[in-house]
Amino acid sequence: MAQEVFLSNVDLNEAVKIYFNKLLCIKGEKENVVTWESVGRVSYSPIFAKISSPFYNSSAMDGIATLSTKTYGATDRSHIELQEGIDYLVVDTGDPIPKEFDCVIMVEDLINLDKGKVSIYKSAAPFQNIRPIGEDIVKTQLIIPSNYMIRPVDIGSIIAGGVNDIDVYKRPVVGIIPTGTEMVEPGGELKVGDIIEFNSRVFSAQVSEWGGIPLRFDIVKDDYSLIKEAVKKAVQQCDIILINAGSSAGREDFTCKVIEELGEVCVHGIAIKPGKPVILGSIDGKPVVGIPGFPVSAYVVMDNICKKIVQAYIGINNEEYTTVEVVLTRRVMSTLKYLEFVRVKIGFVSGKYIATPIGRGAGTTMSLVRADGILEIPQNIEGYEVGTVVNVKLLRSKEEIKNTLVCIGSHDPIVDIASDLFHIKNGKYFLSSAHVGSMGGIMALIGSETHIAPIHLLNMENGSYNISYLKKYLPNKPMVLIKGVKRIQGIIVPKGNPLNIKCLQDIVIKGRRFVNRQRGSGTRLFLDYNLKKLHINPQNISGYEREEFTHIAVAAVVAAGDADCGLGIYSAAKLLGLDFIKLGDEDYDFAVPKEFIDMDMIREFIKVIKTDEFKGELDKLGGYDYAHIGEIIEL
Amino acid sequence: MAQEVFLSNVDLNEAVKIYFNKLLCIKGEKENVVTWESVGRVSYSPIFAKISSPFYNSSAMDGIATLSTKTYGATDRSHIELQEGIDYLVVDTGDPIPKEFDCVIMVEDLINLDKGKVSIYKSAAPFQNIRPIGEDIVKTQLIIPSNYMIRPVDIGSIIAGGVNDIDVYKRPVVGIIPTGTEMVEPGGELKVGDIIEFNSRVFSAQVSEWGGIPLRFDIVKDDYSLIKEAVKKAVQQCDIILINAGSSAGREDFTCKVIEELGEVCVHGIAIKPGKPVILGSIDGKPVVGIPGFPVSAYVVMDNICKKIVQAYIGINNEEYTTVEVVLTRRVMSTLKYLEFVRVKIGFVSGKYIATPIGRGAGTTMSLVRADGILEIPQNIEGYEVGTVVNVKLLRSKEEIKNTLVCIGSHDPIVDIASDLFHIKNGKYFLSSAHVGSMGGIMALIGSETHIAPIHLLNMENGSYNISYLKKYLPNKPMVLIKGVKRIQGIIVPKGNPLNIKCLQDIVIKGRRFVNRQRGSGTRLFLDYNLKKLHINPQNISGYEREEFTHIAVAAVVAAGDADCGLGIYSAAKLLGLDFIKLGDEDYDFAVPKEFIDMDMIREFIKVIKTDEFKGELDKLGGYDYAHIGEIIEL
C-alpha cells in the first residue's frame, strides 16, 4: 500500500513569501538586444534619449522659409515682394530650416509672381509654422522606464531618440522534467495503463508566454537514480527546474527525496485545492519545483507559483488580472482546509454576469479549456449559497463573455456544429454550451441562466414534446420554441450486434450490461416511457443506475466494451461506428425566453441553423429530419 | 510647390467595407503543425478527440480493485475476507482496473491481515472509486472549435484527445517597404535633413503581434522606378504589402501612381485624422496599402485597417478591445470633416476615471508611448466640453490605471528618477507624470485631476515658496505639502559661455537670442520676479515670447545652438554639458490633497524619495539640496 507521508498545509501566500525569501533576491541578468528586436522584452534600466527628435528645426508646412523681420509691415494693402534664394527658400513639410531663416509662410498665403518672386500680404511671426528641435523627444528625456515591457509603439520612440540597442532582462531557461513509468510520448501505440504525457507541453507553452525559455527533458521513469541524474543535469543547464508528477507522498514518489539529497526542500504541501502536494525547493540556489501530476493541480501550481518565479527573473513582480462580479447559479461547497480554485463558466444574461462551477476533478483538462474564470474560495469559507455575488478572476475578456450566446440543456452533436458555424459566420460572437440534460435546461430557464435551452422532453401522457413542459414549469415567463430537428432514438450496441439485441426486452436478459443516461435527461424520460409501456421493471436492468451525461458518452462506453447496450441517438452510434436499433423519433427543439428573441445573437443563431451548410452537416451525421428547423412557435 | 491632388474623404467603416469586398474573400490558407507547437496559432477547422481520456477505467484512489458482488453483505458486525490475486488486486490512483473487477475500495476502508488477505466491513457499489473511460474527454467530442486561438491549456486537452497535429491558419507574409530620400537607417552619422527610419520597425513588430510574418525591405529613395521595382518584388514574395511614406498628394509621392500602374487603387483618402492620405489598393489580388509617413498617422492606419487585413488571413474577424467611461478634464475640439483619434492620459482620482488629451501632432511618437487610451471623436461631433463623460478605448488595463499615481505640474528630472524607482520597488504601482508647469499643477489640483502636483511658485511679495499659492487658490481644499528639494535656478548658456554672459542684464544686449519657459511655469515666475527687481523690460529680450515646456527643452535648444541663453535649473544644464550662471535657489515641493495622504501609493512615494538610493541619484544630477525631503507640512 502507499505510505502516508505527512505533508504540511501552509497558506499559499505564506509559502510563496517564505520561498522567495529563501531564494534571496532573484534578480535577473541583463543582456543587450537590438532595439527593433526587443518587443516583449522587459527593460533592465531606464532608457533616455541620446538625441532630440526632430534634431533640427524643420518646416511644418509646404511653403517658403524666410526671416520674420523681412515680412514686417506686409498687409492686404501693402504687399511685400520676396526673391527666391535671397529672401526665401522653398520648403516642403519636413525640410530643414536654414540658419538664416526663422519662420515658414505656407503656400496658401503666397501669391506667385514670375522669375522666382513671391508676394505676401501678412507678416510672419518668429518660429511660425516651424516644427522645432525636440518637439517629440528632447535629448536626455526619459523615454522608457525600467521594468517595462516593450511594445511596438515604444520601439519607434526609442529609435527616434537615437537608442539602437537596449539592455533587457535575460530570459531564464526553465527545465521541465516529466516523470512517471506509465507516461508515454504522444503518437505511439497505446496500451491500457499508459498515460499520454502532455503536462510538460503545457508548461513549455506557459513558460514561453511568461517570458522564459522552456527546455523540456525526456520522460524519466519512476527510478530514484534516473530522476536524480535528470535533475542534476537540469540544474547545470537551467535557471529554474520544474519536475512533474510524483509529488504526492506515495510509494513511487521520489521527487522530494531527490531535492532533499541534492539541495533542500523549503515547503512540501500547500493548503490549496487542487495542487496540495507541491514541493518548493532549491538546488545550488536555483528554484526547483515539484509539480503534482494531475493536470488541474499542475495548472494551479504553475499559475500561482511558477509564474511568479519566472517573472521575477525578468523584472515583473506584480500580478495583474481582471476580475468581475458574478452571481452564482449553484451552491458551491468548499472545504475549510484549503484555498480552493473552482473553474466556472460565466454568462451574461439579462444584464447580469452569472457563473456556474464546472468539473471539480483534478484530472479534467476540459474544465480548464472551457473555464471562463476562476473562483478562489478562501480557507475560512465553507462555500457559497446559490445567488451569492462573488468576485471571479477572468480567463476570457468581458467583451468576449458579453458576446457569447449561452446554451444550456440537452446535448446533441448538432450543437457543436452550430456553435462552430455560428462563430465562423459571426467573428464577434461565440456560442457556449453546457450539457446538463433537458430538465437541466428547464431549470436554467427558470433561473434566468441561459439564452437557449435545447430540450427533448416527452409528455408521458400524450406523447407530445416540449411545449407542455414549458407551459408547466414556466407558466409566468413568456417563452418561444425554435423548432430544431426530429431525431432517431434507439438502442446502441457494439458493431455487429453480437448479442443480437432487437428490442428493449432484450436488454433485461441476465448478464447484459446496460449504461443509462442521467435523471432529468430527455433520453432517460424516453427510456422510462417505453419501459412503462412494455411493463418492464427498471430494477431488472443491470446497469440502469449507471449514468452518463451525453449520447456520445454512452456510445463511447459501449464502443469500449464496457457495456453491452445503451440508449441514445442514431448519430452518436454512427459517429463511433456502432450498430443501432431504432425505437422511435423525438423532437429536439430550442426553448428561448421571448425577451431574447430579438437579440442580434439569437437572430444570427436562427440564420445559421437554416443554412444549407448546416443542413449538409446534419446529413453527414445522419438520423436528422430538419424540415421545420428555425421556425418560431410562440407559446 | 507641392501639387494639390484631390483626395477623397470616405468614411472609415465604408472604406474598409468597400475594400474588403474588392479583395473578395480573404480566406487564409492552412498548414499542419505539431500540436505542442501550435500555441498562438488559430485553428483552421474544429478539433475532435480521436480517443477518450482516460481511455480505460482506472482507480480514483489507492486501495484494492475487486468485484462489487463479492462485497455484498459486509457490515461492521460481519466482516468479509478477501484474498489477493483471487478476489482483489492492489491498485494505486490511476492504475487500470482489470476486466474482472468493477469497483475500488480505498485503503482507509481495509483491515490488513497477513498472507495477502484483507478484511472489509462495508459493501462496495459497482463503479465506486473508479475514474471511468471518457471522464475528461469522450472520443469524437469537440475539443476546440474553428477560428480559435490556441492557448497553453488547450494543448493539454488536444494531446489527451489523441490529436498530435492540427490544421491552423498559415501566417501571411507582410512586406514592409519604407520609402523616402531623406530616410536613413538608425546607427549611422546623422546630418541635418536626415530622418531616422523607424516606422517599418514598428510595423514589423505589430505584424508579428497580430500573427503575420513581417518581411522588411530596404529603404527605397523617392524615385518612381525604384519604388515600382521594390513593389513588384514585394508582390512576388508576400501576401500583403505595406508601403510607408509618400502617401500624401505632394510632389514626391509616387505610391499612388505605382499602385495604379501595377494594379488598382480602391480608396485614396479616408476621413480620419490623423491618417487621411492612406491608399488602399491591390496588385494581383493582394492587398497593397500606402501608409502615411507621420508616425501617429501610420499608427492609426495600422491599428484600424491593416490589422483587420492581417487577421482576416488567420480567421480572426472581430475587433476586441476594452473601453472605459471617463470624464474629460479639458475641452476637446474636433473638426467635422474627420473621425479623429485623440490620445489621452487616464487617471483614477477620487474614484473616477479622468482623461486628458495629449499631443495632437501627427509626428509625436511619445504621445503613443504615453497614451493610456484613444478617444474617437466621430465626424459629426465638433468636440466635447470639459466635464463630458465619454467612452475611451483602453491601451493600458484598468488595473494598471488604478494602480497609477498621477503627478501633474512642474517637471524636474528628479520626477523621472522617482517614477522609475517607485515602480522598481513596488512592482504593482506606476507613476505617471504630465509636465504642464507649476500653475498647471495648481489647476489640476483645483479640478481634482491629480494625486500629486510638483510646484515651485515664488511669492513675488515676500520671496517665499508654494504655501501662499496653495492657500490662495485652494482655500477650501485641505492640502498637504510634501517637502522636496531646494534647487539652483540660473541662466543656461552654451559650453564655454562664448558670449561671456554673467547676469540677467547681459541677455538684453541686442542680437542675443533667449528662449523662455511657458506662462504659468515657476521658472517663468522666477524670471519675471528677477527682471522686475532689475527694472528690465521683458519686451527688450529677443525671444522672450519663445516658449518651451521643460528645463531640458530649454537646455536642448541652447545646446543645439538655436538660442544663446535660457533660464532653467542647474541639473538640466549639467545633463547636456552646458555652462550655467547661478541666479538663486528655489523650493521644489509636492502638493497633495490631504484626502490622499494615507493612500498606500502616496506613502510608498514618500518612502522612495527618502531612500539613500534616490538621494544618490540626486547627487549625480547635481544642484539639489534634499535636507528636508519627504517631510510633511499640513496647511
Side-chain angles (χ1 to χ4, degrees), chain A residues 110 143 145 157 183 223 285 312 321 326 338 348 368 373 383 462 544 556-557 563 572 601 635:
Chain A
L110 301 169
I143 302 175
S157 293
M183 293 294 173
D223 173 284
Y321 51 81
V326 302
Y338 306 116
F348 189 73
L368 293 170
N462 60 28
Y544 179 84
V557 168
M601 285 199 287
L635 271 60

PDB file of all heavy atoms in Angstrom, chain A residues 110 143 145 157 183 223 285 312 321 326 338 348 368 373 383 462 544 556-557 563 572 601 635:
ATOM      1  N   LEU A 110       0.690  82.670 -50.147  1.00  0.00           N
ATOM      2  CA  LEU A 110       1.624  83.317 -51.069  1.00  0.00           C
ATOM      3  C   LEU A 110       0.934  83.632 -52.390  1.00  0.00           C
ATOM      4  O   LEU A 110       0.020  82.928 -52.810  1.00  0.00           O
ATOM      5  CB  LEU A 110       2.793  82.377 -51.380  1.00  0.00           C
ATOM      6  CG  LEU A 110       3.631  81.888 -50.219  1.00  0.00           C
ATOM      7  CD1 LEU A 110       4.541  80.768 -50.696  1.00  0.00           C
ATOM      8  CD2 LEU A 110       4.459  83.025 -49.651  1.00  0.00           C
ATOM      9  N   ILE A 143      12.525  58.058 -22.018  1.00  0.00           N
ATOM     10  CA  ILE A 143      11.574  57.515 -22.974  1.00  0.00           C
ATOM     11  C   ILE A 143      10.829  56.339 -22.344  1.00  0.00           C
ATOM     12  O   ILE A 143       9.605  56.266 -22.377  1.00  0.00           O
ATOM     13  CB  ILE A 143      12.273  57.043 -24.266  1.00  0.00           C
ATOM     14  CG1 ILE A 143      13.047  58.191 -24.901  1.00  0.00           C
ATOM     15  CG2 ILE A 143      11.254  56.477 -25.251  1.00  0.00           C
ATOM     16  CD1 ILE A 143      13.852  57.788 -26.114  1.00  0.00           C
ATOM     17  N   PRO A 145      10.863  53.723 -18.841  1.00  0.00           N
ATOM     18  CA  PRO A 145      11.441  53.446 -17.522  1.00  0.00           C
ATOM     19  C   PRO A 145      11.934  52.003 -17.407  1.00  0.00           C
ATOM     20  O   PRO A 145      11.789  51.220 -18.347  1.00  0.00           O
ATOM     21  CB  PRO A 145      10.271  53.686 -16.568  1.00  0.00           C
ATOM     22  CG  PRO A 145       9.053  53.439 -17.379  1.00  0.00           C
ATOM     23  CD  PRO A 145       9.397  53.754 -18.801  1.00  0.00           C
ATOM     24  N   SER A 157       9.737  55.339 -30.698  1.00  0.00           N
ATOM     25  CA  SER A 157      10.305  56.448 -29.918  1.00  0.00           C
ATOM     26  C   SER A 157      11.749  56.185 -29.520  1.00  0.00           C
ATOM     27  O   SER A 157      12.571  57.093 -29.498  1.00  0.00           O
ATOM     28  CB  SER A 157       9.458  56.701 -28.666  1.00  0.00           C
ATOM     29  OG  SER A 157       8.180  57.190 -29.013  1.00  0.00           O
ATOM     30  N   MET A 183       4.025   7.008 -18.083  1.00  0.00           N
ATOM     31  CA  MET A 183       3.964   8.086 -19.076  1.00  0.00           C
ATOM     32  C   MET A 183       4.507   7.633 -20.423  1.00  0.00           C
ATOM     33  O   MET A 183       5.546   6.961 -20.466  1.00  0.00           O
ATOM     34  CB  MET A 183       4.793   9.292 -18.602  1.00  0.00           C
ATOM     35  CG  MET A 183       4.240   9.989 -17.388  1.00  0.00           C
ATOM     36  SD  MET A 183       2.657  10.759 -17.782  1.00  0.00           S
ATOM     37  CE  MET A 183       2.163  11.316 -16.150  1.00  0.00           C
ATOM     38  N   ASP A 223      12.321   6.002 -11.080  1.00  0.00           N
ATOM     39  CA  ASP A 223      13.503   5.337 -10.536  1.00  0.00           C
ATOM     40  C   ASP A 223      14.342   6.422  -9.864  1.00  0.00           C
ATOM     41  O   ASP A 223      14.663   7.446 -10.475  1.00  0.00           O
ATOM     42  CB  ASP A 223      14.280   4.667 -11.680  1.00  0.00           C
ATOM     43  CG  ASP A 223      15.602   4.113 -11.226  1.00  0.00           C
ATOM     44  OD1 ASP A 223      16.539   4.908 -11.017  1.00  0.00           O
ATOM     45  OD2 ASP A 223      15.700   2.873 -11.053  1.00  0.00           O
ATOM     46  N   GLY A 285      21.066  27.103  -5.160  1.00  0.00           N
ATOM     47  CA  GLY A 285      20.448  28.428  -5.188  1.00  0.00           C
ATOM     48  C   GLY A 285      19.407  28.604  -6.268  1.00  0.00           C
ATOM     49  O   GLY A 285      18.777  29.662  -6.384  1.00  0.00           O
ATOM     50  N   ALA A 312       9.892  36.903 -11.894  1.00  0.00           N
ATOM     51  CA  ALA A 312      10.825  37.627 -11.022  1.00  0.00           C
ATOM     52  C   ALA A 312      12.174  37.763 -11.721  1.00  0.00           C
ATOM     53  O   ALA A 312      12.893  38.742 -11.515  1.00  0.00           O
ATOM     54  CB  ALA A 312      10.987  36.890  -9.703  1.00  0.00           C
ATOM     55  N   TYR A 321      -4.538  40.862 -13.113  1.00  0.00           N
ATOM     56  CA  TYR A 321      -5.615  40.152 -13.787  1.00  0.00           C
ATOM     57  C   TYR A 321      -6.919  40.889 -13.558  1.00  0.00           C
ATOM     58  O   TYR A 321      -7.060  41.658 -12.625  1.00  0.00           O
ATOM     59  CB  TYR A 321      -5.702  38.711 -13.287  1.00  0.00           C
ATOM     60  CG  TYR A 321      -5.749  38.590 -11.789  1.00  0.00           C
ATOM     61  CD1 TYR A 321      -6.931  38.783 -11.080  1.00  0.00           C
ATOM     62  CD2 TYR A 321      -4.607  38.283 -11.062  1.00  0.00           C
ATOM     63  CE1 TYR A 321      -6.972  38.674  -9.704  1.00  0.00           C
ATOM     64  CE2 TYR A 321      -4.637  38.178  -9.681  1.00  0.00           C
ATOM     65  CZ  TYR A 321      -5.822  38.370  -9.016  1.00  0.00           C
ATOM     66  OH  TYR A 321      -5.851  38.268  -7.647  1.00  0.00           O
ATOM     67  N   VAL A 326     -19.878  38.319 -10.174  1.00  0.00           N
ATOM     68  CA  VAL A 326     -20.858  37.425 -10.785  1.00  0.00           C
ATOM     69  C   VAL A 326     -21.829  36.909  -9.737  1.00  0.00           C
ATOM     70  O   VAL A 326     -21.532  36.926  -8.544  1.00  0.00           O
ATOM     71  CB  VAL A 326     -20.160  36.205 -11.441  1.00  0.00           C
ATOM     72  CG1 VAL A 326     -19.170  36.628 -12.490  1.00  0.00           C
ATOM     73  CG2 VAL A 326     -19.488  35.355 -10.384  1.00  0.00           C
ATOM     74  N   TYR A 338      -8.597  24.104   2.727  1.00  0.00           N
ATOM     75  CA  TYR A 338      -7.789  24.612   1.627  1.00  0.00           C
ATOM     76  C   TYR A 338      -8.368  25.867   0.994  1.00  0.00           C
ATOM     77  O   TYR A 338      -9.570  26.124   1.042  1.00  0.00           O
ATOM     78  CB  TYR A 338      -7.699  23.566   0.507  1.00  0.00           C
ATOM     79  CG  TYR A 338      -7.220  22.216   0.958  1.00  0.00           C
ATOM     80  CD1 TYR A 338      -8.053  21.105   0.867  1.00  0.00           C
ATOM     81  CD2 TYR A 338      -5.944  22.042   1.474  1.00  0.00           C
ATOM     82  CE1 TYR A 338      -7.618  19.864   1.278  1.00  0.00           C
ATOM     83  CE2 TYR A 338      -5.509  20.807   1.881  1.00  0.00           C
ATOM     84  CZ  TYR A 338      -6.342  19.719   1.789  1.00  0.00           C
ATOM     85  OH  TYR A 338      -5.916  18.486   2.192  1.00  0.00           O
ATOM     86  N   PHE A 348     -23.463  36.146 -19.686  1.00  0.00           N
ATOM     87  CA  PHE A 348     -24.025  37.484 -19.477  1.00  0.00           C
ATOM     88  C   PHE A 348     -25.456  37.421 -19.956  1.00  0.00           C
ATOM     89  O   PHE A 348     -25.727  37.454 -21.157  1.00  0.00           O
ATOM     90  CB  PHE A 348     -23.210  38.519 -20.259  1.00  0.00           C
ATOM     91  CG  PHE A 348     -23.587  39.936 -19.932  1.00  0.00           C
ATOM     92  CD1 PHE A 348     -23.220  40.492 -18.719  1.00  0.00           C
ATOM     93  CD2 PHE A 348     -24.310  40.716 -20.830  1.00  0.00           C
ATOM     94  CE1 PHE A 348     -23.561  41.800 -18.403  1.00  0.00           C
ATOM     95  CE2 PHE A 348     -24.659  42.023 -20.528  1.00  0.00           C
ATOM     96  CZ  PHE A 348     -24.272  42.566 -19.305  1.00  0.00           C
ATOM     97  N   LEU A 368     -10.427  23.226 -17.764  1.00  0.00           N
ATOM     98  CA  LEU A 368      -9.544  24.376 -17.983  1.00  0.00           C
ATOM     99  C   LEU A 368      -9.805  24.998 -19.343  1.00  0.00           C
ATOM    100  O   LEU A 368      -9.769  26.211 -19.501  1.00  0.00           O
ATOM    101  CB  LEU A 368      -8.073  23.946 -17.892  1.00  0.00           C
ATOM    102  CG  LEU A 368      -7.599  23.497 -16.517  1.00  0.00           C
ATOM    103  CD1 LEU A 368      -6.208  22.879 -16.625  1.00  0.00           C
ATOM    104  CD2 LEU A 368      -7.586  24.665 -15.542  1.00  0.00           C
ATOM    105  N   GLY A 373     -13.553  31.582 -16.039  1.00  0.00           N
ATOM    106  CA  GLY A 373     -12.966  32.271 -14.897  1.00  0.00           C
ATOM    107  C   GLY A 373     -12.630  31.304 -13.777  1.00  0.00           C
ATOM    108  O   GLY A 373     -12.984  30.123 -13.830  1.00  0.00           O
ATOM    109  N   GLY A 383     -18.157  27.718   1.749  1.00  0.00           N
ATOM    110  CA  GLY A 383     -18.848  27.641   0.477  1.00  0.00           C
ATOM    111  C   GLY A 383     -19.741  28.845   0.313  1.00  0.00           C
ATOM    112  O   GLY A 383     -19.763  29.747   1.146  1.00  0.00           O
ATOM    113  N   ASN A 462     -49.463  12.120 -23.440  1.00  0.00           N
ATOM    114  CA  ASN A 462     -49.961  12.199 -24.815  1.00  0.00           C
ATOM    115  C   ASN A 462     -48.876  12.036 -25.877  1.00  0.00           C
ATOM    116  O   ASN A 462     -49.159  12.139 -27.065  1.00  0.00           O
ATOM    117  CB  ASN A 462     -50.719  13.508 -25.020  1.00  0.00           C
ATOM    118  CG  ASN A 462     -49.821  14.707 -24.758  1.00  0.00           C
ATOM    119  OD1 ASN A 462     -48.598  14.634 -24.939  1.00  0.00           O
ATOM    120  ND2 ASN A 462     -50.423  15.810 -24.347  1.00  0.00           N
ATOM    121  N   TYR A 544     -28.871  -0.071 -14.899  1.00  0.00           N
ATOM    122  CA  TYR A 544     -29.860   1.015 -15.010  1.00  0.00           C
ATOM    123  C   TYR A 544     -29.409   2.224 -14.201  1.00  0.00           C
ATOM    124  O   TYR A 544     -29.687   3.375 -14.567  1.00  0.00           O
ATOM    125  CB  TYR A 544     -31.227   0.528 -14.525  1.00  0.00           C
ATOM    126  CG  TYR A 544     -32.302   1.596 -14.590  1.00  0.00           C
ATOM    127  CD1 TYR A 544     -33.002   1.837 -15.776  1.00  0.00           C
ATOM    128  CD2 TYR A 544     -32.609   2.382 -13.469  1.00  0.00           C
ATOM    129  CE1 TYR A 544     -33.978   2.822 -15.845  1.00  0.00           C
ATOM    130  CE2 TYR A 544     -33.575   3.362 -13.524  1.00  0.00           C
ATOM    131  CZ  TYR A 544     -34.263   3.573 -14.707  1.00  0.00           C
ATOM    132  OH  TYR A 544     -35.228   4.561 -14.765  1.00  0.00           O
ATOM    133  N   ALA A 556     -19.563   5.828 -26.287  1.00  0.00           N
ATOM    134  CA  ALA A 556     -18.144   5.540 -26.033  1.00  0.00           C
ATOM    135  C   ALA A 556     -17.983   4.349 -25.088  1.00  0.00           C
ATOM    136  O   ALA A 556     -17.089   3.522 -25.240  1.00  0.00           O
ATOM    137  CB  ALA A 556     -17.459   6.768 -25.453  1.00  0.00           C
ATOM    138  N   VAL A 557     -18.857   4.297 -24.097  1.00  0.00           N
ATOM    139  CA  VAL A 557     -18.789   3.181 -23.144  1.00  0.00           C
ATOM    140  C   VAL A 557     -19.090   1.858 -23.848  1.00  0.00           C
ATOM    141  O   VAL A 557     -18.424   0.844 -23.624  1.00  0.00           O
ATOM    142  CB  VAL A 557     -19.777   3.426 -21.980  1.00  0.00           C
ATOM    143  CG1 VAL A 557     -19.941   2.166 -21.152  1.00  0.00           C
ATOM    144  CG2 VAL A 557     -19.299   4.586 -21.125  1.00  0.00           C
ATOM    145  N   ALA A 563     -19.877  -1.815 -21.713  1.00  0.00           N
ATOM    146  CA  ALA A 563     -21.307  -2.078 -21.532  1.00  0.00           C
ATOM    147  C   ALA A 563     -21.767  -2.755 -22.821  1.00  0.00           C
ATOM    148  O   ALA A 563     -21.130  -2.604 -23.864  1.00  0.00           O
ATOM    149  CB  ALA A 563     -22.090  -0.795 -21.291  1.00  0.00           C
ATOM    150  N   ALA A 572     -25.000   9.423 -32.654  1.00  0.00           N
ATOM    151  CA  ALA A 572     -23.933   9.045 -31.716  1.00  0.00           C
ATOM    152  C   ALA A 572     -23.408   7.661 -32.056  1.00  0.00           C
ATOM    153  O   ALA A 572     -22.211   7.408 -32.044  1.00  0.00           O
ATOM    154  CB  ALA A 572     -24.445   9.087 -30.286  1.00  0.00           C
ATOM    155  N   MET A 601     -27.743  38.175 -31.425  1.00  0.00           N
ATOM    156  CA  MET A 601     -27.126  36.855 -31.379  1.00  0.00           C
ATOM    157  C   MET A 601     -28.134  35.745 -31.655  1.00  0.00           C
ATOM    158  O   MET A 601     -27.817  34.764 -32.333  1.00  0.00           O
ATOM    159  CB  MET A 601     -26.476  36.615 -30.018  1.00  0.00           C
ATOM    160  CG  MET A 601     -25.172  37.374 -29.824  1.00  0.00           C
ATOM    161  SD  MET A 601     -24.144  36.690 -28.477  1.00  0.00           S
ATOM    162  CE  MET A 601     -25.044  37.228 -27.023  1.00  0.00           C
ATOM    163  N   LEU A 635     -45.417  30.527 -27.509  1.00  0.00           N
ATOM    164  CA  LEU A 635     -46.277  29.757 -26.613  1.00  0.00           C
ATOM    165  C   LEU A 635     -47.344  30.637 -25.971  1.00  0.00           C
ATOM    166  O   LEU A 635     -47.102  31.798 -25.705  1.00  0.00           O
ATOM    167  CB  LEU A 635     -45.423  29.113 -25.503  1.00  0.00           C
ATOM    168  CG  LEU A 635     -44.894  27.741 -25.862  1.00  0.00           C
ATOM    169  CD1 LEU A 635     -44.023  27.769 -27.080  1.00  0.00           C
ATOM    170  CD2 LEU A 635     -44.188  27.137 -24.674  1.00  0.00           C
TER     171      LEU A 635
END
